[in-house]
Amino acid sequence: METELTVIEARDLIRSSEDHNLQLLDVRTKVVFENESLPGFINIPVNELSRRVDQLDGKKRTLLICKDGSQSVQALKLLESCGFSGQVIRGGLDDWKRIIQTPLNK
């Protein structure tokens, strides 16, 4: 499994995931997340992830998003060291807003 997905691939995977075997994780700060986020994503900031990893389901595939993808890469490394499998949404919310242009929760 690739460690990164494009925003188009991520959107299509989320739409087609009827088995609900995905968990969607936004690793930006709480304030930024509350200001603007994608539907269905939960928020655990990257700097809190190591102490809150027990809030995630290790059996589910995790898709990670941040502003531009950089924090998601860091978060994925931490999750993989804890036995999780996941993928980073390349380009993060910046690319999502530019390419997908779907409404965000505000």
Side-chain angles (χ1 to χ4, degrees):
M1 176 171 38
E2 293 287 323
T3 59
E4 291 187 348
L5 293 172
T6 67
V7 292
I8 299 289
E9 291 168 329
R11 180 204 59 199
D12 293 348
L13 178 62
I14 292 165
R15 282 182 179 169
S16 69
S17 183
E18 295 176 14
D19 62 1
H20 304 288
N21 200 31
L22 283 179
Q23 59 190 344
L24 308 173
L25 179 61
D26 187 319
V27 297
R28 298 172 303 145
T29 65
K30 181 180 179 181
V31 171
V32 175
F33 176 82
E34 288 175 349
N35 184 50
E36 181 177 69
S37 61
L38 291 170
F41 279 76
I42 61 167
N43 177 235
I44 301 178
V46 68
N47 64 338
E48 297 177 17
L49 192 54
S50 61
R51 65 180 179 271
R52 294 180 57 191
V53 72
D54 60 324
Q55 295 176 13
L56 298 171
D57 185 340
K59 295 177 183 161
K60 291 186 176 183
R61 179 176 171 189
T62 306
L63 294 187
L64 297 98
I65 199 164
C66 63
K67 180 185 183 317
D68 60 11
S70 59
Q71 289 182 319
S72 296
V73 170
Q74 179 184 352
L76 179 59
K77 288 179 184 175
L78 183 124
L79 287 178
E80 288 176 336
S81 73
C82 296
F84 287 78
S85 66
Q87 294 174 289
V88 169
I89 299 173
R90 187 177 334 135
L93 272 176
D94 287 349
D95 274 7
W96 193 286
K97 290 187 291 188
R98 185 175 56 79
I99 296 169
I100 308 277
Q101 300 177 350
T102 55
L104 303 176
N105 294 335
K106 293 194 181 200

